[in-house]
Amino acid sequence: MTARPDGLRARRTRKLLRDALIELIEERGFDRITVNRLTERAMVSRAAFYRAYRDKYHLVEQVFEEALDVLVAAVAEDDCVDTRVERWIGFFEHVGEYRRLYGALLGDRGSPWFAAKMRATLERTVAGHFPDPAADTLTPALVAAMFVQAITWWLENDRPVSEREIALRTIRVSAALLADAGIGRPING
Amino acid sequence: MTARPDGLRARRTRKLLRDALIELIEERGFDRITVNRLTERAMVSRAAFYRAYRDKYHLVEQVFEEALDVLVAAVAEDDCVDTRVERWIGFFEHVGEYRRLYGALLGDRGSPWFAAKMRATLERTVAGHFPDPAADTLTPALVAAMFVQAITWWLENDRPVSEREIALRTIRVSAALLADAGIGRPING
DNA sequence: GAGCATCTGTCTCCATCGAGACACATCGCC
DNA sequence: GGCGATGTGTCTCGATGGAGACAGATGCTC
């Protein structure tokens, strides 16, 4: 746990716990998960669990953050092509790939904690592209909340529209929001 | 391997290998699977593989036989209700549950070996219900082949009809076959 | 046919994991 | 309030599995 060993066994233990976590969140919601059931489902001993994580919050935090890292990386990717739009389509593609995780954590059985964490992460990403981030903290917060809501809606309704469409619609609204705040090329400019 | 330990670790190793096997059969076909790729996918060491199984044939044999055992048990179940038909519907329900396994093993990327093994198993089950099994060995073989083909068709076409319908249609044809052989209440009578 | 890559099946050694017990907390129920 | 069941987090000890090396087989390419 402290040293986070990267041997096959340790990685496997973490993977099994991750998968079990997502399954159980889907089935019963995060609150009703116990370490006992988690380890039983994952076919891992409780001792191994505590070797890898402090408690179930630590586990879910790690899992969620890993996913968010990949997500932010996908959006922030500094390719030469001038296609901000493509990046946000990539964003929703990532969400689609990890839909079980995001759906479980952001959905009814999840916990407000995750939505808040995701909002904060996106907020930082958005603010990072502002000329003077300290000047306006409201706008990034609103944009971030919008994106989280877009994801939630998209997943709860079983992705009724394509990645491209949901991305375009969300960008359009956020562009209006940013224009109102007096910001020119707002996202990933 | 010889003693087949039933500790959590040993059971987990077998489960991981089973799952990896099915995945890889679906992806590349049984022939092209190597123990290396198998253990890599399963996140298990080669040493652990050889502790649990002799080779990949041993593994697939075990996995397949486990499933067939459950299957035969489902059909042979000695309930009081006079519903032979229900049992064969149960048969197809089982097949539906294990569709990834059966589909993988019986499909194009599988190996004739499995279909043959399955036919033989069903053949024994069918013959077991004959008054004098030694008298006619052709009829059970034909009936068994029919059921295997019904399963293959059903899975390859993504289960286009319900369990009940495929069961009824298959039973109807086999009833004709059995009547022709002069056998009265043929299946599970 | 030589050379190279990959796979197999087996081995040893040591890290990690499972079993199970521990005290303590929490909860629902009578 | 007391009680039983269940959960938590930590610990020890023996079992199991990973790392990695091995010879030998197979197969592909030049």
Side-chain angles (χ1 to χ4, degrees):
Chain A
M1 191 189 92
T2 357
R4 177 136 316 221
D6 68 334
L8 178 56
R9 260 184 301 204
R11 276 185 295 120
R12 184 186 60 204
T13 297
R14 290 200 295 270
K15 175 186 169 20
L16 291 172
L17 287 169
R18 265 207 304 275
D19 294 348
L21 175 76
I22 295 176
E23 273 183 38
L24 288 179
I25 291 178
E26 285 178 341
E27 283 176 27
R28 1 183 61 222
F30 180 69
D31 308 337
R32 299 177 54 201
I33 293 180
T34 69
V35 175
N36 280 332
R37 293 188 199 291
L38 205 46
T39 54
E40 187 186 3
R41 177 67 63 96
M43 298 189 79
V44 151
S45 72
R46 280 173 7 96
F49 174 89
Y50 286 109
R51 260 178 230 118
Y53 302 100
R54 254 195 318 279
D55 47 37
K56 71 170 183 169
Y57 300 97
H58 189 204
L59 165 61
V60 80
E61 192 184 316
Q62 297 282 320
V63 172
F64 195 54
E65 280 183 353
E66 265 173 47
L68 285 187
D69 283 351
V70 179
L71 194 154
V72 169
V75 175
E77 211 172 55
D78 211 18
D79 41 355
C80 303
V81 209
D82 184 308
T83 45
R84 310 173 273 167
V85 172
E86 294 304 323
R87 279 186 228 154
W88 288 98
I89 294 171
F91 175 94
F92 280 98
E93 279 167 356
H94 164 90
V95 170
E97 276 171 37
Y98 287 69
R99 60 178 169 279
R100 295 184 65 220
L101 174 64
Y102 289 121
L105 294 183
L106 298 179
D108 290 341
R109 340 197 68 158
S111 156
W113 190 84
F114 304 116
K117 179 129 191 154
M118 189 157 193
R119 232 178 288 129
T121 304
L122 285 175
E123 205 178 310
R124 256 178 279 121
T125 307
V126 174
H129 292 283
F130 278 28
D132 177 10
D136 177 8
T137 60
L138 174 61
T139 308
L142 295 181
V143 172
M146 241 187 39
F147 268 95
V148 173
Q149 185 51 42
I151 293 169
T152 308
W153 173 87
W154 195 54
L155 294 181
E156 277 184 350
N157 292 281
D158 264 336
R159 298 178 296 161
V161 301
S162 70
E163 282 81 1
R164 173 170 291 275
E165 192 170 335
I166 181 73
L168 288 178
R169 287 184 57 181
T170 316
I171 289 175
R172 207 177 310 138
V173 188
S174 71
L177 227 159
L178 290 157
D180 185 67
I183 291 157
R185 290 186 77 214
I187 298 173
N188 278 333
Chain B
M1 190 189 97
T2 356
R4 176 140 312 222
D6 68 335
L8 177 57
R9 260 182 303 202
R11 278 186 293 119
R12 183 186 59 204
T13 297
R14 291 200 294 271
K15 176 185 168 22
L16 291 172
L17 286 170
R18 266 207 304 277
D19 294 348
L21 175 75
I22 296 176
E23 274 183 37
L24 288 178
I25 292 177
E26 286 178 341
E27 284 176 27
R28 4 181 58 220
F30 180 70
D31 308 337
R32 299 178 54 202
I33 293 180
T34 69
V35 175
N36 279 332
R37 291 187 200 291
L38 204 45
T39 54
E40 187 186 4
R41 176 68 60 100
M43 299 189 77
V44 151
S45 72
R46 285 180 355 104
F49 174 90
Y50 285 109
R51 263 179 224 116
Y53 303 101
R54 255 198 315 282
D55 48 37
K56 71 170 184 169
Y57 301 96
H58 189 204
L59 165 62
V60 79
E61 193 184 316
Q62 297 281 321
V63 172
F64 195 53
E65 279 182 355
E66 264 172 49
L68 284 186
D69 283 349
V70 179
L71 195 153
V72 168
V75 175
E77 211 172 56
D78 212 16
D79 44 352
C80 303
V81 211
D82 184 306
T83 43
R84 310 174 273 170
V85 172
E86 295 305 323
R87 278 186 229 154
W88 287 98
I89 293 171
F91 174 93
F92 280 98
E93 279 167 356
H94 164 90
V95 171
E97 276 171 36
Y98 287 70
R99 61 179 170 277
R100 294 184 66 218
L101 174 65
Y102 289 122
L105 293 183
L106 298 178
D108 289 343
R109 340 197 67 157
S111 156
W113 191 84
F114 304 114
K117 179 130 192 154
M118 188 156 194
R119 233 178 286 129
T121 305
L122 286 175
E123 204 176 312
R124 258 179 277 120
T125 307
V126 173
H129 293 282
F130 278 28
D132 178 9
D136 178 7
T137 59
L138 174 60
T139 307
L142 295 181
V143 172
M146 239 188 39
F147 269 94
V148 173
Q149 186 50 44
I151 293 167
T152 309
W153 173 86
W154 196 53
L155 293 181
E156 278 185 349
N157 292 281
D158 264 335
R159 298 177 298 161
V161 301
S162 69
E163 282 82 0
R164 174 169 291 274
E165 191 168 336
I166 181 75
L168 288 177
R169 287 184 59 181
T170 317
I171 289 175
R172 207 177 309 138
V173 187
S174 72
L177 227 159
L178 290 157
D180 186 65
I183 289 158
R185 291 186 76 216
I187 297 173
N188 278 336

